[in-house]
Amino acid sequence: MRSTTHRRRVRYLWLGTLAVVATLAQPASTAAAGQSVLQVGAQAANGINRPQGITAGPDGALWFTNQGNNSIGRITTGGNVTKFTGNGISGPDGITAGPDGALWFTNYNNNSIGRITTGGNVTNFTHSGIDGPQQITAGPDKALWFTDYDNSSIGRITTSGNVTIFTNKGIDRPYGITTGPDGALWFTNYGNNTIGRITTGGAVTNYQKSGLNGIRGPYAIAAGPDGALWFTVNFDNHAIGRITTSGQITLHSKATLSFPDALTAGPGGALWFTNGTHAIGRITTSGKITSFSRKGIIVSPPPDGITAGPDGALWFTNYYDNSVARITTAGVVTRF
């Protein structure tokens, strides 16, 4: 059984000895635009323990993976947390809502794919070809698609649990994956600095932008509201990338970008992302970047997962301080 700790240490080595400040619990309050409000809950005690991926569920709540205690968490928009455990949950990472009304997630530590109903019933699916599953998304074919980082492949699993593994010389340490507007799956290749596209039949195409200002460490990827795919670049040129379905790539950079990580389409036609010491960023489809400061947020390395919530806000996970947080489009933050 492997541990996700090593992978996270590699990603966040740049942060060095950044301090974490202890704060007493406070009630939520109103803040001006651009300011943040801190609300600290019981955190690890209430079931939030090294949270990673997060997604909106079909029940109007947010669902997230807990790597610290091998569980799946659920948090309502009011901040009520429930923790679900089950056989087979081990190092859960990515999570997404499935076409069957359940949540599907990857188990990095035991090379399996998990399914949890909104009532908390857990099923685990194994396959000899799964090795290091990371992110997962609902596909256009009513199946789930996931990245297999450790064996450089893309996986597909039906809602009944049938698994297919696709390999190709163009797939190299894939991490992020999303469904594109063209009916294909798009993914990031961290190993060869490319963006990949795979059809539901398994045909793979690779897109590259090389050079010093090219793609160096593509990570998360999401479908944008403009019919393109957007991705984060977090190795050494710190950028937000955009690729059209025909393969045209544009990179957007700004001084405030610092190791951008997770990414999601948000309200108002913009993309939102987690961003190093600047915590949360927003980018419009024209490339205008806004960074929201960390006032009121206890963050060590950057937040991990981020998703649009049913309440019009963005929700994200803070892995190193065991919390889930909410940020409004005006930049007001509540932490649970």
Side-chain angles (χ1 to χ4, degrees), residues 25 39-49 79 81 321-323 335-336:
Q39 177 178 316
V40 182
Q43 299 177 350
N46 70 7
I48 304 176
N49 195 319
V81 176
D321 76 341
N322 301 321
S323 66
R335 177 171 161 272
F336 302 95

Side-chain angles (χ1 to χ4, degrees), residues 117-155:
T117 67
T118 54
N121 295 319
V122 177
T123 308
N124 220 43
F125 300 95
T126 59
H127 185 277
S128 60
I130 301 176
D131 189 7
Q134 296 279 356
Q135 299 304 300
I136 187 168
T137 192
D141 55 351
K142 297 185 179 180
L144 290 303
W145 290 72
F146 58 94
T147 52
D148 247 350
Y149 187 87
D150 288 354
N151 70 355
S152 295
S153 64
I154 301 296

Side-chain angles (χ1 to χ4, degrees), residues 170 185-189 194-198 204-207 221 243:
L185 288 301
W186 290 74
F187 57 94
T188 56
N189 277 312
T194 64
I195 303 300
R197 175 186 185 270
I198 185 170
V204 176
T205 309
N206 255 31
Y207 300 95
I221 189 167
I243 182 170

Side-chain angles (χ1 to χ4, degrees), residues 46-66:
N46 70 7
I48 304 176
N49 195 319
R50 298 291 190 252
Q52 178 85 346
I54 188 168
T55 193
D59 57 348
L62 290 304
W63 290 72
F64 57 94
T65 54
N66 274 316

Side-chain angles (χ1 to χ4, degrees), residues 148-295:
D148 247 350
Y149 187 87
D150 288 354
N151 70 355
S152 295
S153 64
I154 301 296
R156 176 186 185 269
I157 183 170
T158 66
T159 54
S160 59
N162 294 320
V163 176
T164 306
I165 301 295
F166 297 93
T167 58
N168 184 281
K169 63 181 181 180
I171 304 175
D172 191 355
R173 301 291 187 186
Y175 183 77
I177 189 168
T178 193
T179 295
D182 57 347
L185 288 301
W186 290 74
F187 57 94
T188 56
N189 277 312
Y190 200 84
N192 63 12
N193 297 317
T194 64
I195 303 300
R197 175 186 185 270
I198 185 170
T199 67
T200 54
V204 176
T205 309
N206 255 31
Y207 300 95
Q208 187 174 31
K209 184 179 177 68
S210 58
L212 183 62
N213 296 317
I215 300 175
R216 294 168 64 84
Y219 208 65
I221 189 167
D226 57 347
L229 291 304
W230 290 74
F231 57 94
T232 55
V233 179
N234 72 2
F235 183 53
D236 60 2
N237 58 344
H238 316 305
I240 303 296
R242 176 184 185 270
I243 182 170
T244 65
T245 54
S246 61
Q248 182 177 352
I249 296 172
T250 307
L251 294 182
H252 300 277
S253 60
K254 189 176 180 179
T256 52
L257 284 178
S258 177
F259 295 89
D261 197 311
L263 177 78
T264 190
L271 289 298
W272 290 72
F273 56 94
T274 59
N275 182 38
T277 56
H278 292 280
I280 302 297
R282 176 183 182 270
I283 183 169
T284 66
T285 54
S286 62
K288 181 181 179 181
I289 296 171
T290 306
S291 291
F292 294 91
S293 70
R294 300 194 311 164
K295 293 179 181 178

